[in-house]
């Protein structure tokens, strides 16, 4: 496992609204500005969802294209397009933007309740999205929301349905998935093959404690508004960078230098 710490930032996600969080970036310019701030703070991977003219989540290719162009005008970073979209997004829409060939794309490894909604990822959905990921030569980040999804990964690997190289992100704390208790992270990391790169995305109140443990355990960290918009209980973070700054300060204490974009590309084999 590399000593450098890779920080991913999920800039805006699909669930939050400006009503819930007045500082949420939703327009292409706001998203690009927030990405630049996140990268300056230490993020090298940007997990990207985009919003339409009304601020609603969309998987429209033209919006991904506009946002990508605006980000590229401001900074270099590894773009990881979401293929999860919002709950209920049809599978064809979820993978349509991959034709823009982002370096990375997410691949959720199973269905789960998402609060009172269902985030549906049946076998045929996973395989359909993976076909597109393969077609456009993106590095998949496997999103694991629950322990059984590790068994799904093994099953897929045995059948040759996943590539040899992928990154794993444990998304813990979704109501309906595995909680962000530290013992859950330890159990998941225990399942990994030696040398497998992994990160943790702690949802809501789990973000900080899981980030700290991932840093101590040699993993990587995802931190940003999609997973948790709060700096502390009752206090919204004003920027994604504010959440990243805190992770960077903690990483320093653990002697984990922050991976820049070039180092992250090397670690990820991009
Ligand atoms: N918005 C969630 C339902 C991903 O980006 O790949 C799914 C999600 C996963 O955010
Ligand atoms: Zn997402």
């Amino acid at each position: 496992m590399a000593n450098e710490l890779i920080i991913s930032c999920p800039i805006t996600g699909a669930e939050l609204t400006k009503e819930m969080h007045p500082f949420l970036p939703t327009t292409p310019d706001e998203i690009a500005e927030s990405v630049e701030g996140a990268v300056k703070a230490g993020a090298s991977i940007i997990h990207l969802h985009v919003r339409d003219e009304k601020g609603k989540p969309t998987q429209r290719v033209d919006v991904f294209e506009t946002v990508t162009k605006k980000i590229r005008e401001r900074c270099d970073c590894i773009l990881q397009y979401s293929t999860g979209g919002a709950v209920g997004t049809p599978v064809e829409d979820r993978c349509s933007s991959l034709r823009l060939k982002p370096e990375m794309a997410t691949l959720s490894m199973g269905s789960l309740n998402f609060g009172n909604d269902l985030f549906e990822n049946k076998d045929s959905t996973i395989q359909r999205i993976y076909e597109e990921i393969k077609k456009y030569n993106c590095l998949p980040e496997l999103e694991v929301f629950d322990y059984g999804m590790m068994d799904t990964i093994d099953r897929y690997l045995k059948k040759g349905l996943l590539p040899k190289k992928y990154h794993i992100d444990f998304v813990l704390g979704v109501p309906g998935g595995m909680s962000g208790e530290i013992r859950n992270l330890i159990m998941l990391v225990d399942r990994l093959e030696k040398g497998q790169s992994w990160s943790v995305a702690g949802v809501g109140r789990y973000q900080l404690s899981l980030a700290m443990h991932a840093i101590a355990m040699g993993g990587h960290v995802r931190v940003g508004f999609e997973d948790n918009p709060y700096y502390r209980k009752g206090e919204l973070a004003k920027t994604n960078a504010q959440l990243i700054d805190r992770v960077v300060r903690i990483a320093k204490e653990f002697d984990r230098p922050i991976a820049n974009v070039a180092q992250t590309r090397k670690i990820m084999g991009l």
Side-chain angles (χ1 to χ4, degrees):
M1 187 63 71
N3 189 41
E4 287 88 5
L5 176 72
I6 297 172
I7 300 176
S8 311
C9 183
I11 294 287
T12 190
E15 281 75 35
L16 281 177
T17 62
K18 274 238 198 306
E19 287 70 47
M20 294 154 90
H21 188 342
F23 310 116
L24 186 76
T26 56
T27 69
D29 284 313
E30 286 169 352
I31 292 175
E33 186 187 4
S34 191
V35 168
E36 186 181 17
V39 171
K40 278 192 181 141
S44 50
I45 299 177
I46 299 298
H47 173 69
L48 194 64
H49 289 254
V50 295
R51 306 294 182 111
D52 67 13
E53 293 74 7
K54 291 190 172 139
K56 297 235 155 55
T58 179
Q59 291 294 112
R60 267 168 45 202
V61 184
D62 64 311
V63 186
F64 268 99
E65 196 164 24
T66 304
V67 174
T68 297
K69 194 165 163 274
K70 285 186 183 286
I71 293 171
R72 291 288 172 237
E73 282 163 9
R74 287 173 177 264
C75 59
D76 184 28
C77 58
I78 295 159
L79 288 181
Q80 177 194 85
Y81 285 5
S82 165
T83 67
V87 280
T89 308
V91 62
E92 289 310 320
D93 294 353
R94 284 171 61 176
C95 47
S96 60
S97 62
L98 297 184
R99 76 184 67 146
L100 301 174
K101 299 187 180 160
E103 284 177 272
M104 292 180 76
T106 53
L107 182 61
S108 294
M109 292 312 298
S111 302
L112 73 154
N113 285 342
F114 224 83
N116 197 35
D117 293 308
L118 173 65
F119 182 34
E120 199 181 297
N121 293 289
K122 49 191 179 191
D123 271 350
S124 57
T125 305
I126 300 173
Q127 284 162 34
R128 176 76 194 97
I129 295 172
Y130 177 55
E131 265 172 39
E132 294 298 301
I133 287 179
K134 198 160 59 169
K135 183 163 153 196
Y136 295 109
N137 203 22
C138 310
L139 176 72
E141 174 172 288
L142 310 186
E143 304 296 318
V144 170
F145 296 84
D146 219 335
Y147 194 76
M149 295 186 194
M150 296 303 289
D151 296 302
T152 304
I153 293 175
D154 284 350
R155 188 160 53 84
Y156 276 39
L157 285 171
K158 269 193 200 121
K159 289 188 183 164
L161 296 173
L162 283 175
K164 287 205 181 75
K165 208 159 167 39
Y166 50 82
H167 176 71
I168 293 192
D169 184 42
F170 301 121
V171 187
L172 303 182
V174 172
M178 208 166 176
S179 85
E181 301 295 327
I182 304 308
R183 61 172 180 264
N184 290 345
L185 178 67
I186 291 169
M187 194 160 68
L188 288 161
V189 172
D190 231 33
R191 274 288 293 266
L192 297 173
E193 296 292 330
K194 203 167 177 280
Q196 171 62 53
S197 69
W198 64 273
S199 50
V200 70
V203 175
R205 66 193 170 90
Y206 295 113
Q207 189 164 72
L208 184 57
S209 56
L210 282 173
M212 275 188 72
H213 281 80
I215 292 167
M217 290 163 73
H220 302 291
V221 170
R222 180 171 114 165
V223 66
F225 286 168
E226 175 173 348
D227 302 331
N228 166 48
Y230 287 94
Y231 191 76
R232 57 171 66 84
K233 196 167 186 227
E235 182 187 325
L236 287 167
K238 291 205 169 52
T239 61
N240 277 294
Q242 196 187 345
L243 295 168
I244 295 166
D245 285 342
R246 176 164 60 183
V247 168
V248 170
R249 288 196 299 274
I250 295 166
K252 274 203 184 112
E253 292 295 327
F254 280 92
D255 286 331
R256 299 263 332 251
I258 306 304
N260 62 28
V261 179
Q263 287 166 326
T264 299
R265 286 201 172 101
K266 205 163 166 207
I267 294 164
M268 293 282 179
L270 291 165

